PDB file of all heavy atoms in Angstrom:
ATOM      1  N   VAL A   1     -77.368 -12.793-123.948  1.00  0.00           N
ATOM      2  CA  VAL A   1     -77.103 -14.206-124.239  1.00  0.00           C
ATOM      3  C   VAL A   1     -75.605 -14.497-124.121  1.00  0.00           C
ATOM      4  O   VAL A   1     -75.203 -15.542-123.603  1.00  0.00           O
ATOM      5  CB  VAL A   1     -77.629 -14.570-125.649  1.00  0.00           C
ATOM      6  CG1 VAL A   1     -77.062 -15.905-126.112  1.00  0.00           C
ATOM      7  CG2 VAL A   1     -79.147 -14.630-125.636  1.00  0.00           C
ATOM      8  N   ARG A   2     -74.768 -13.575-124.586  1.00  0.00           N
ATOM      9  CA  ARG A   2     -73.314 -13.753-124.433  1.00  0.00           C
ATOM     10  C   ARG A   2     -72.933 -13.891-122.949  1.00  0.00           C
ATOM     11  O   ARG A   2     -72.086 -14.711-122.589  1.00  0.00           O
ATOM     12  CB  ARG A   2     -72.573 -12.574-125.057  1.00  0.00           C
ATOM     13  CG  ARG A   2     -72.547 -12.593-126.582  1.00  0.00           C
ATOM     14  CD  ARG A   2     -71.487 -11.646-127.124  1.00  0.00           C
ATOM     15  NE  ARG A   2     -71.358 -11.780-128.569  1.00  0.00           N
ATOM     16  CZ  ARG A   2     -71.866 -10.927-129.444  1.00  0.00           C
ATOM     17  NH1 ARG A   2     -72.541  -9.858-129.020  1.00  0.00           N
ATOM     18  NH2 ARG A   2     -71.703 -11.123-130.742  1.00  0.00           N
ATOM     19  N   LYS A   3     -73.576 -13.088-122.096  1.00  0.00           N
ATOM     20  CA  LYS A   3     -73.290 -13.166-120.659  1.00  0.00           C
ATOM     21  C   LYS A   3     -73.719 -14.509-120.086  1.00  0.00           C
ATOM     22  O   LYS A   3     -73.026 -15.078-119.239  1.00  0.00           O
ATOM     23  CB  LYS A   3     -73.996 -12.024-119.929  1.00  0.00           C
ATOM     24  CG  LYS A   3     -73.380 -10.653-120.195  1.00  0.00           C
ATOM     25  CD  LYS A   3     -74.139  -9.556-119.464  1.00  0.00           C
ATOM     26  CE  LYS A   3     -73.531  -8.188-119.763  1.00  0.00           C
ATOM     27  NZ  LYS A   3     -74.289  -7.084-119.098  1.00  0.00           N
ATOM     28  N   ARG A   4     -74.864 -15.020-120.538  1.00  0.00           N
ATOM     29  CA  ARG A   4     -75.315 -16.336-120.054  1.00  0.00           C
ATOM     30  C   ARG A   4     -74.332 -17.430-120.470  1.00  0.00           C
ATOM     31  O   ARG A   4     -74.036 -18.345-119.703  1.00  0.00           O
ATOM     32  CB  ARG A   4     -76.709 -16.654-120.606  1.00  0.00           C
ATOM     33  CG  ARG A   4     -77.789 -15.717-120.126  1.00  0.00           C
ATOM     34  CD  ARG A   4     -78.063 -15.861-118.638  1.00  0.00           C
ATOM     35  NE  ARG A   4     -79.043 -14.868-118.210  1.00  0.00           N
ATOM     36  CZ  ARG A   4     -78.743 -13.708-117.671  1.00  0.00           C
ATOM     37  NH1 ARG A   4     -77.465 -13.386-117.467  1.00  0.00           N
ATOM     38  NH2 ARG A   4     -79.679 -12.855-117.303  1.00  0.00           N
ATOM     39  N   LEU A   5     -73.831 -17.339-121.695  1.00  0.00           N
ATOM     40  CA  LEU A   5     -72.844 -18.317-122.156  1.00  0.00           C
ATOM     41  C   LEU A   5     -71.551 -18.211-121.334  1.00  0.00           C
ATOM     42  O   LEU A   5     -70.950 -19.233-120.973  1.00  0.00           O
ATOM     43  CB  LEU A   5     -72.536 -18.090-123.641  1.00  0.00           C
ATOM     44  CG  LEU A   5     -73.689 -18.413-124.610  1.00  0.00           C
ATOM     45  CD1 LEU A   5     -73.368 -17.903-126.008  1.00  0.00           C
ATOM     46  CD2 LEU A   5     -73.964 -19.917-124.657  1.00  0.00           C
ATOM     47  N   MET A   6     -71.158 -16.985-121.012  1.00  0.00           N
ATOM     48  CA  MET A   6     -69.940 -16.794-120.217  1.00  0.00           C
ATOM     49  C   MET A   6     -70.090 -17.352-118.808  1.00  0.00           C
ATOM     50  O   MET A   6     -69.113 -17.799-118.202  1.00  0.00           O
ATOM     51  CB  MET A   6     -69.583 -15.311-120.166  1.00  0.00           C
ATOM     52  CG  MET A   6     -69.052 -14.759-121.493  1.00  0.00           C
ATOM     53  SD  MET A   6     -68.657 -13.001-121.424  1.00  0.00           S
ATOM     54  CE  MET A   6     -67.249 -13.021-120.303  1.00  0.00           C
ATOM     55  N   GLU A   7     -71.338 -17.351-118.285  1.00  0.00           N
ATOM     56  CA  GLU A   7     -71.577 -17.952-116.966  1.00  0.00           C
ATOM     57  C   GLU A   7     -71.240 -19.441-116.966  1.00  0.00           C
ATOM     58  O   GLU A   7     -70.936 -20.020-115.921  1.00  0.00           O
ATOM     59  CB  GLU A   7     -73.038 -17.748-116.557  1.00  0.00           C
ATOM     60  CG  GLU A   7     -73.389 -16.315-116.208  1.00  0.00           C
ATOM     61  CD  GLU A   7     -74.874 -16.132-115.915  1.00  0.00           C
ATOM     62  OE1 GLU A   7     -75.558 -17.153-115.700  1.00  0.00           O
ATOM     63  OE2 GLU A   7     -75.330 -14.977-115.915  1.00  0.00           O
ATOM     64  N   LEU A   8     -71.303 -20.051-118.149  1.00  0.00           N
ATOM     65  CA  LEU A   8     -70.965 -21.474-118.289  1.00  0.00           C
ATOM     66  C   LEU A   8     -69.549 -21.661-118.821  1.00  0.00           C
ATOM     67  O   LEU A   8     -69.169 -22.780-119.194  1.00  0.00           O
ATOM     68  CB  LEU A   8     -71.971 -22.153-119.223  1.00  0.00           C
ATOM     69  CG  LEU A   8     -73.437 -22.117-118.777  1.00  0.00           C
ATOM     70  CD1 LEU A   8     -74.330 -22.781-119.815  1.00  0.00           C
ATOM     71  CD2 LEU A   8     -73.615 -22.790-117.418  1.00  0.00           C
ATOM     72  N   GLY A   9     -68.779 -20.577-118.873  1.00  0.00           N
ATOM     73  CA  GLY A   9     -67.389 -20.659-119.331  1.00  0.00           C
ATOM     74  C   GLY A   9     -67.225 -20.653-120.834  1.00  0.00           C
ATOM     75  O   GLY A   9     -66.155 -21.018-121.340  1.00  0.00           O
ATOM     76  N   ILE A  10     -68.260 -20.249-121.561  1.00  0.00           N
ATOM     77  CA  ILE A  10     -68.208 -20.238-123.030  1.00  0.00           C
ATOM     78  C   ILE A  10     -67.951 -18.821-123.517  1.00  0.00           C
ATOM     79  O   ILE A  10     -68.775 -17.922-123.309  1.00  0.00           O
ATOM     80  CB  ILE A  10     -69.527 -20.769-123.642  1.00  0.00           C
ATOM     81  CG1 ILE A  10     -69.815 -22.190-123.147  1.00  0.00           C
ATOM     82  CG2 ILE A  10     -69.472 -20.726-125.165  1.00  0.00           C
ATOM     83  CD1 ILE A  10     -71.197 -22.689-123.545  1.00  0.00           C
ATOM     84  N   GLU A  11     -66.820 -18.607-124.166  1.00  0.00           N
ATOM     85  CA  GLU A  11     -66.475 -17.288-124.686  1.00  0.00           C
ATOM     86  C   GLU A  11     -66.220 -17.369-126.184  1.00  0.00           C
ATOM     87  O   GLU A  11     -65.704 -18.369-126.687  1.00  0.00           O
ATOM     88  CB  GLU A  11     -65.242 -16.732-123.969  1.00  0.00           C
ATOM     89  CG  GLU A  11     -65.443 -16.503-122.477  1.00  0.00           C
ATOM     90  CD  GLU A  11     -64.256 -15.792-121.834  1.00  0.00           C
ATOM     91  OE1 GLU A  11     -63.599 -15.007-122.553  1.00  0.00           O
ATOM     92  OE2 GLU A  11     -64.000 -16.035-120.647  1.00  0.00           O
ATOM     93  N   GLY A  12     -66.595 -16.315-126.883  1.00  0.00           N
ATOM     94  CA  GLY A  12     -66.311 -16.227-128.314  1.00  0.00           C
ATOM     95  C   GLY A  12     -67.165 -17.115-129.190  1.00  0.00           C
ATOM     96  O   GLY A  12     -66.824 -17.348-130.352  1.00  0.00           O
ATOM     97  N   ALA A  13     -68.280 -17.615-128.655  1.00  0.00           N
ATOM     98  CA  ALA A  13     -69.120 -18.537-129.434  1.00  0.00           C
ATOM     99  C   ALA A  13     -70.109 -17.811-130.335  1.00  0.00           C
ATOM    100  O   ALA A  13     -70.429 -18.290-131.422  1.00  0.00           O
ATOM    101  CB  ALA A  13     -69.864 -19.488-128.500  1.00  0.00           C
ATOM    102  N   LEU A  14     -70.609 -16.669-129.879  1.00  0.00           N
ATOM    103  CA  LEU A  14     -71.662 -15.967-130.599  1.00  0.00           C
ATOM    104  C   LEU A  14     -71.058 -14.858-131.462  1.00  0.00           C
ATOM    105  O   LEU A  14     -70.609 -13.831-130.967  1.00  0.00           O
ATOM    106  CB  LEU A  14     -72.686 -15.388-129.617  1.00  0.00           C
ATOM    107  CG  LEU A  14     -73.932 -14.715-130.200  1.00  0.00           C
ATOM    108  CD1 LEU A  14     -74.574 -15.569-131.280  1.00  0.00           C
ATOM    109  CD2 LEU A  14     -74.924 -14.403-129.107  1.00  0.00           C
ATOM    110  N   GLU A  15     -71.047 -15.097-132.764  1.00  0.00           N
ATOM    111  CA  GLU A  15     -70.434 -14.170-133.725  1.00  0.00           C
ATOM    112  C   GLU A  15     -71.482 -13.240-134.332  1.00  0.00           C
ATOM    113  O   GLU A  15     -72.569 -13.683-134.726  1.00  0.00           O
ATOM    114  CB  GLU A  15     -69.759 -14.962-134.850  1.00  0.00           C
ATOM    115  CG  GLU A  15     -69.185 -14.078-135.958  1.00  0.00           C
ATOM    116  CD  GLU A  15     -68.810 -14.852-137.203  1.00  0.00           C
ATOM    117  OE1 GLU A  15     -69.063 -16.088-137.230  1.00  0.00           O
ATOM    118  OE2 GLU A  15     -68.284 -14.234-138.143  1.00  0.00           O
ATOM    119  N   THR A  16     -71.141 -11.957-134.407  1.00  0.00           N
ATOM    120  CA  THR A  16     -71.976 -10.993-135.123  1.00  0.00           C
ATOM    121  C   THR A  16     -71.489 -10.895-136.563  1.00  0.00           C
ATOM    122  O   THR A  16     -70.325 -10.569-136.803  1.00  0.00           O
ATOM    123  CB  THR A  16     -71.896  -9.601-134.475  1.00  0.00           C
ATOM    124  OG1 THR A  16     -72.351  -9.684-133.120  1.00  0.00           O
ATOM    125  CG2 THR A  16     -72.763  -8.603-135.235  1.00  0.00           C
ATOM    126  N   VAL A  17     -72.338 -11.217-137.503  1.00  0.00           N
ATOM    127  CA  VAL A  17     -72.015 -11.094-138.922  1.00  0.00           C
ATOM    128  C   VAL A  17     -72.638  -9.775-139.392  1.00  0.00           C
ATOM    129  O   VAL A  17     -73.844  -9.687-139.607  1.00  0.00           O
ATOM    130  CB  VAL A  17     -72.558 -12.288-139.736  1.00  0.00           C
ATOM    131  CG1 VAL A  17     -72.164 -12.147-141.204  1.00  0.00           C
ATOM    132  CG2 VAL A  17     -72.055 -13.606-139.152  1.00  0.00           C
ATOM    133  N   ARG A  18     -71.802  -8.757-139.497  1.00  0.00           N
ATOM    134  CA  ARG A  18     -72.288  -7.403-139.734  1.00  0.00           C
ATOM    135  C   ARG A  18     -73.181  -7.320-140.973  1.00  0.00           C
ATOM    136  O   ARG A  18     -72.825  -7.803-142.044  1.00  0.00           O
ATOM    137  CB  ARG A  18     -71.105  -6.441-139.873  1.00  0.00           C
ATOM    138  CG  ARG A  18     -71.509  -4.960-139.841  1.00  0.00           C
ATOM    139  CD  ARG A  18     -70.283  -4.071-139.780  1.00  0.00           C
ATOM    140  NE  ARG A  18     -69.500  -4.317-138.588  1.00  0.00           N
ATOM    141  CZ  ARG A  18     -69.755  -3.788-137.406  1.00  0.00           C
ATOM    142  NH1 ARG A  18     -70.823  -2.997-137.261  1.00  0.00           N
ATOM    143  NH2 ARG A  18     -68.996  -4.039-136.372  1.00  0.00           N
ATOM    144  N   GLY A  19     -74.339  -6.721-140.783  1.00  0.00           N
ATOM    145  CA  GLY A  19     -75.269  -6.526-141.882  1.00  0.00           C
ATOM    146  C   GLY A  19     -76.098  -7.746-142.229  1.00  0.00           C
ATOM    147  O   GLY A  19     -76.974  -7.676-143.091  1.00  0.00           O
ATOM    148  N   SER A  20     -75.836  -8.893-141.563  1.00  0.00           N
ATOM    149  CA  SER A  20     -76.564 -10.127-141.906  1.00  0.00           C
ATOM    150  C   SER A  20     -77.292 -10.759-140.727  1.00  0.00           C
ATOM    151  O   SER A  20     -78.487 -11.040-140.801  1.00  0.00           O
ATOM    152  CB  SER A  20     -75.594 -11.150-142.509  1.00  0.00           C
ATOM    153  OG  SER A  20     -75.020 -10.651-143.703  1.00  0.00           O
ATOM    154  N   GLY A  21     -76.565 -11.009-139.635  1.00  0.00           N
ATOM    155  CA  GLY A  21     -77.189 -11.672-138.500  1.00  0.00           C
ATOM    156  C   GLY A  21     -76.166 -12.186-137.518  1.00  0.00           C
ATOM    157  O   GLY A  21     -75.134 -11.539-137.275  1.00  0.00           O
ATOM    158  N   TYR A  22     -76.412 -13.424-137.010  1.00  0.00           N
ATOM    159  CA  TYR A  22     -75.557 -13.968-135.952  1.00  0.00           C
ATOM    160  C   TYR A  22     -75.334 -15.460-136.189  1.00  0.00           C
ATOM    161  O   TYR A  22     -76.155 -16.149-136.782  1.00  0.00           O
ATOM    162  CB  TYR A  22     -76.204 -13.736-134.579  1.00  0.00           C
ATOM    163  CG  TYR A  22     -76.429 -12.274-134.290  1.00  0.00           C
ATOM    164  CD1 TYR A  22     -77.625 -11.656-134.676  1.00  0.00           C
ATOM    165  CD2 TYR A  22     -75.454 -11.498-133.679  1.00  0.00           C
ATOM    166  CE1 TYR A  22     -77.836 -10.300-134.442  1.00  0.00           C
ATOM    167  CE2 TYR A  22     -75.657 -10.141-133.446  1.00  0.00           C
ATOM    168  CZ  TYR A  22     -76.843  -9.551-133.827  1.00  0.00           C
ATOM    169  OH  TYR A  22     -77.047  -8.210-133.615  1.00  0.00           O
ATOM    170  N   ARG A  23     -74.190 -15.934-135.699  1.00  0.00           N
ATOM    171  CA  ARG A  23     -73.835 -17.349-135.865  1.00  0.00           C
ATOM    172  C   ARG A  23     -73.294 -17.858-134.529  1.00  0.00           C
ATOM    173  O   ARG A  23     -72.441 -17.220-133.920  1.00  0.00           O
ATOM    174  CB  ARG A  23     -72.789 -17.491-136.962  1.00  0.00           C
ATOM    175  CG  ARG A  23     -72.361 -18.936-137.217  1.00  0.00           C
ATOM    176  CD  ARG A  23     -71.277 -19.001-138.285  1.00  0.00           C
ATOM    177  NE  ARG A  23     -71.799 -18.721-139.620  1.00  0.00           N
ATOM    178  CZ  ARG A  23     -71.417 -17.699-140.381  1.00  0.00           C
ATOM    179  NH1 ARG A  23     -70.508 -16.832-139.931  1.00  0.00           N
ATOM    180  NH2 ARG A  23     -71.927 -17.534-141.587  1.00  0.00           N
ATOM    181  N   LEU A  24     -73.801 -19.024-134.075  1.00  0.00           N
ATOM    182  CA  LEU A  24     -73.341 -19.630-132.832  1.00  0.00           C
ATOM    183  C   LEU A  24     -72.373 -20.763-133.158  1.00  0.00           C
ATOM    184  O   LEU A  24     -72.768 -21.786-133.723  1.00  0.00           O
ATOM    185  CB  LEU A  24     -74.526 -20.156-132.027  1.00  0.00           C
ATOM    186  CG  LEU A  24     -74.210 -20.674-130.617  1.00  0.00           C
ATOM    187  CD1 LEU A  24     -73.669 -19.557-129.729  1.00  0.00           C
ATOM    188  CD2 LEU A  24     -75.453 -21.294-129.985  1.00  0.00           C
ATOM    189  N   HIS A  25     -71.108 -20.571-132.819  1.00  0.00           N
ATOM    190  CA  HIS A  25     -70.072 -21.582-133.067  1.00  0.00           C
ATOM    191  C   HIS A  25     -69.953 -22.501-131.849  1.00  0.00           C
ATOM    192  O   HIS A  25     -69.812 -22.015-130.725  1.00  0.00           O
ATOM    193  CB  HIS A  25     -68.722 -20.921-133.334  1.00  0.00           C
ATOM    194  CG  HIS A  25     -68.705 -20.061-134.555  1.00  0.00           C
ATOM    195  ND1 HIS A  25     -68.554 -20.566-135.825  1.00  0.00           N
ATOM    196  CD2 HIS A  25     -68.823 -18.705-134.699  1.00  0.00           C
ATOM    197  CE1 HIS A  25     -68.571 -19.574-136.700  1.00  0.00           C
ATOM    198  NE2 HIS A  25     -68.737 -18.434-136.054  1.00  0.00           N
ATOM    199  N   PRO A  26     -69.970 -23.825-132.036  1.00  0.00           N
ATOM    200  CA  PRO A  26     -69.866 -24.752-130.896  1.00  0.00           C
ATOM    201  C   PRO A  26     -68.424 -24.888-130.377  1.00  0.00           C
ATOM    202  O   PRO A  26     -67.822 -25.956-130.448  1.00  0.00           O
ATOM    203  CB  PRO A  26     -70.395 -26.068-131.487  1.00  0.00           C
ATOM    204  CG  PRO A  26     -70.086 -25.980-132.941  1.00  0.00           C
ATOM    205  CD  PRO A  26     -70.214 -24.524-133.329  1.00  0.00           C
ATOM    206  N   VAL A  27     -67.886 -23.796-129.848  1.00  0.00           N
ATOM    207  CA  VAL A  27     -66.511 -23.805-129.351  1.00  0.00           C
ATOM    208  C   VAL A  27     -66.373 -24.620-128.066  1.00  0.00           C
ATOM    209  O   VAL A  27     -65.260 -24.899-127.630  1.00  0.00           O
ATOM    210  CB  VAL A  27     -66.018 -22.347-129.099  1.00  0.00           C
ATOM    211  CG1 VAL A  27     -66.008 -21.557-130.401  1.00  0.00           C
ATOM    212  CG2 VAL A  27     -66.889 -21.644-128.058  1.00  0.00           C
ATOM    213  N   TRP A  28     -67.531 -24.980-127.475  1.00  0.00           N
ATOM    214  CA  TRP A  28     -67.529 -25.768-126.241  1.00  0.00           C
ATOM    215  C   TRP A  28     -67.503 -27.258-126.554  1.00  0.00           C
ATOM    216  O   TRP A  28     -67.770 -28.077-125.660  1.00  0.00           O
ATOM    217  CB  TRP A  28     -68.796 -25.451-125.447  1.00  0.00           C
ATOM    218  CG  TRP A  28     -70.034 -25.806-126.197  1.00  0.00           C
ATOM    219  CD1 TRP A  28     -70.674 -27.010-126.241  1.00  0.00           C
ATOM    220  CD2 TRP A  28     -70.771 -24.959-127.097  1.00  0.00           C
ATOM    221  NE1 TRP A  28     -71.770 -26.972-127.081  1.00  0.00           N
ATOM    222  CE2 TRP A  28     -71.845 -25.720-127.614  1.00  0.00           C
ATOM    223  CE3 TRP A  28     -70.621 -23.616-127.507  1.00  0.00           C
ATOM    224  CZ2 TRP A  28     -72.761 -25.188-128.516  1.00  0.00           C
ATOM    225  CZ3 TRP A  28     -71.545 -23.102-128.396  1.00  0.00           C
ATOM    226  CH2 TRP A  28     -72.580 -23.869-128.891  1.00  0.00           C
ATOM    227  N   GLN A  29     -67.230 -27.668-127.792  1.00  0.00           N
ATOM    228  CA  GLN A  29     -67.369 -29.048-128.224  1.00  0.00           C
ATOM    229  C   GLN A  29     -66.766 -30.039-127.255  1.00  0.00           C
ATOM    230  O   GLN A  29     -65.686 -29.808-126.699  1.00  0.00           O
ATOM    231  CB  GLN A  29     -66.709 -29.246-129.608  1.00  0.00           C
ATOM    232  CG  GLN A  29     -67.521 -28.633-130.741  1.00  0.00           C
ATOM    233  CD  GLN A  29     -66.894 -28.922-132.090  1.00  0.00           C
ATOM    234  OE1 GLN A  29     -65.780 -29.405-132.159  1.00  0.00           O
ATOM    235  NE2 GLN A  29     -67.608 -28.617-133.156  1.00  0.00           N
ATOM    236  N   ARG A  30     -67.500 -31.136-127.067  1.00  0.00           N
ATOM    237  CA  ARG A  30     -67.031 -32.199-126.185  1.00  0.00           C
ATOM    238  C   ARG A  30     -65.763 -32.823-126.730  1.00  0.00           C
ATOM    239  O   ARG A  30     -65.639 -33.015-127.951  1.00  0.00           O
ATOM    240  CB  ARG A  30     -68.103 -33.280-126.031  1.00  0.00           C
ATOM    241  CG  ARG A  30     -69.291 -32.824-125.220  1.00  0.00           C
ATOM    242  CD  ARG A  30     -70.358 -33.881-125.172  1.00  0.00           C
ATOM    243  NE  ARG A  30     -70.995 -34.096-126.467  1.00  0.00           N
ATOM    244  CZ  ARG A  30     -72.165 -34.655-126.637  1.00  0.00           C
ATOM    245  NH1 ARG A  30     -72.849 -35.062-125.587  1.00  0.00           N
ATOM    246  NH2 ARG A  30     -72.687 -34.828-127.820  1.00  0.00           N
TER     247      ARG A  30
END
């Protein structure tokens, strides 16, 4: 999924929260 986001120029959006899960930050905000 990170690679798919990078194909659209989105980097650093998908955060791994160790021991808990994942968070998607809208760094691509309009």
Side-chain angles (χ1 to χ4, degrees):
V1 166
R2 285 196 173 103
K3 289 179 181 178
R4 296 293 176 264
L5 292 169
M6 288 179 68
E7 289 175 15
L8 300 178
I10 302 171
E11 297 187 30
L14 185 47
E15 176 193 4
T16 300
V17 182
R18 192 172 299 277
S20 298
Y22 300 89
R23 180 182 288 118
L24 187 63
H25 297 279
V27 298
W28 61 87
Q29 286 184 350
R30 289 176 292 200

